[in-house]
Amino acid sequence: MDFGLVLQTDPPASQVVGLMRRAERNGFRYGWTFDSAVLWQEPFVIYSRILEHTTKLHVGPMVTNPGTRTWEVTASTFATLNDMYGNRTVCGIGRGDSAMRVAGRKPNTLARLGDAIDVIRDLAEGREAIVDGNPIRIPWVKDGKLPVWMAAYGPKALALAGQKADGFILQLADPYLTEWMVKAVRQAATEAGRDPDALTVCVAAPAYVTADDSAEALAHAREQCRWFGGMVGNHVADLVAKYGEHSDLVPEALTAYIKDRHGYDYSHHGRADNPSTDFVPDEIVDRFCLLGPAEAHIEKLRRLRDLGVNQFAVYNMHDAKEATIDAYGSEVIPAVTG
């Protein structure tokens, strides 16, 4: 199992670069960031600095979308970074939540997302692609490589990930839901004539390592990570609107908790002080996140690994960023990968 670190690109960018360098020293192999142009600084500019100051770390957005950047610009940006630093990028992509909604737009359709996956990958790897009805190719790309990993929750999105993407990003760490969704993605890959085992499965969720399992320590960890249930709730609300509150197509274990959700304030998106997450119960925080002493993280990660998860990406938006990176480097990563 590989490990990644996920950050928001809050200023100063030097702090983001420093945390990514710290992550690489501690055995993390991937460095991810949010991509929402209004809320945070431009990630691709910062990727260049991260790549310059690391040696093996792969970087990319978790996640970009096909609506806020034209596809040839996205492909050319990845290809440029790869040409400069040696194929060390990965394109995480989805329909677009905060990036689209903050700008007053709706998330992209799955049809548009599926087309974008093909075009961005083809262009970034030097092949011709059709953009707005015109065949184009980036002529200077040589030996380019860009894996495209798709974020998904609902049945149609999971199917698309299996049909098109090189990897699947699941933004929660509940073993029951992970098993259900990984099975759906791999089945779709098989039905599309693809090798289901060739898809990389990345689970991403907050991790907070406590000194012990006391009630006080766990309560603090939950409050630092409760924002994540609110963020996931945005996607769950879309699923409920599409499929209904009680649908055989979407597990109730995913949808039931948003019944008391009332709106969402994107100005606090992904932050521990998010006031829009009071509807998220402790049970969801415990299921979706990794909390407690290092031993608890190791146990859950081994369960996820046994379900076919290839990477765990740590959402590191809380008050113990450095301590979490160091604890994973000294205790968790060696135990899971050794």
Side-chain angles (χ1 to χ4, degrees):
M1 178 183 277
D2 285 332
F3 285 82
L5 184 73
V6 189
L7 299 174
Q8 294 169 336
T9 51
D10 290 314
S14 58
Q15 185 177 46
V16 178
V17 176
L19 288 170
M20 291 299 186
R21 294 180 68 187
R22 191 185 196 109
E24 184 179 59
R25 291 196 300 270
N26 277 280
F28 288 78
R29 293 193 60 239
Y30 286 77
W32 302 94
T33 74
F34 283 38
D35 178 17
S36 192
V38 174
L39 298 178
W40 299 288
Q41 291 187 330
E42 172 54 42
F44 286 92
V45 175
I46 299 173
Y47 296 157
S48 189
R49 295 289 289 173
I50 295 170
L51 290 164
E52 181 182 5
H53 289 283
T54 57
T55 59
K56 296 180 180 179
L57 201 70
H58 287 67
V59 304
M62 189 175 283
V63 292
T64 192
N65 73 87
T68 54
R69 309 172 195 273
T70 59
W71 303 350
E72 67 271 24
V73 169
T74 300
S76 182
T77 305
F78 277 113
T80 300
L81 292 172
N82 283 337
D83 188 65
M84 293 171 69
Y85 299 105
N87 287 338
R88 288 168 54 201
T89 68
V90 56
C91 177
I93 194 167
R95 293 178 60 219
D97 177 32
S98 63
M100 297 295 287
R101 286 177 163 131
V102 167
R105 306 184 187 104
K106 293 182 179 180
N108 297 271
T109 65
L110 288 176
R112 179 175 172 83
L113 176 56
D115 290 342
I117 288 173
D118 290 336
V119 168
I120 291 169
R121 180 171 48 214
D122 282 344
L123 291 177
E125 295 186 348
R127 294 184 295 275
E128 183 179 281
I130 304 298
V131 179
D132 294 330
N134 299 307
I136 62 173
R137 186 177 69 85
I138 302 176
W140 49 264
V141 173
K142 300 292 187 295
D143 301 319
K145 185 66 177 175
L146 182 66
V148 181
W149 299 3
M150 179 183 154
Y153 290 108
K156 292 183 179 179
L158 294 169
L160 181 63
Q163 294 159 3
K164 295 271 190 179
D166 302 298
F168 163 48
I169 296 173
L170 172 58
Q171 291 162 309
L172 55 81
D174 176 73
Y176 170 78
L177 292 171
T178 297
E179 182 175 18
W180 182 82
M181 293 185 184
V182 169
K183 181 179 179 180
V185 170
R186 295 201 188 285
Q187 180 177 339
T190 299
E191 292 173 354
R194 307 178 72 203
D195 179 1
D197 295 326
L199 271 77
T200 301
V201 177
C202 174
V203 162
Y208 197 105
V209 181
T210 60
D212 53 47
D213 59 358
S214 66
E216 182 180 4
L218 290 175
H220 178 75
R222 288 190 187 104
E223 289 311 309
Q224 288 294 305
C225 298
R226 197 175 303 276
W227 62 265
F228 185 66
M231 187 181 84
V232 174
N234 295 329
H235 304 284
V236 174
D238 286 345
L239 294 178
V240 171
K242 185 176 182 65
Y243 296 103
E245 291 186 22
H246 306 286
S247 170
D248 293 337
L249 297 175
V250 183
E252 194 167 342
L254 175 63
T255 60
Y257 83 97
I258 69 161
K259 63 180 183 298
D260 295 323
R261 178 181 181 270
H262 302 288
Y264 188 83
D265 182 358
Y266 278 94
S267 66
H268 299 275
H269 189 57
R271 301 189 185 280
D273 61 352
N274 192 328
S276 304
T277 59
D278 54 353
F279 71 94
V280 181
D282 288 352
E283 177 200 2
I284 288 294
V285 183
D286 291 347
R287 281 174 46 204
F288 286 10
C289 305
L290 276 75
L291 312 174
E295 293 78 12
H297 293 243
I298 293 166
E299 179 183 359
K300 193 168 188 179
L301 287 167
R302 285 173 173 165
R303 290 178 65 192
L304 292 170
R305 182 188 62 189
D306 291 344
L307 293 172
V309 175
N310 306 110
Q311 180 184 149
F312 178 63
V314 176
Y315 274 106
N316 203 28
M317 281 69 81
H318 48 55
D319 64 2
K321 293 181 178 69
E322 291 85 356
T324 297
I325 294 170
D326 293 346
Y328 262 68
S330 63
E331 299 180 73
V332 178
I333 293 176
V336 177
T337 60

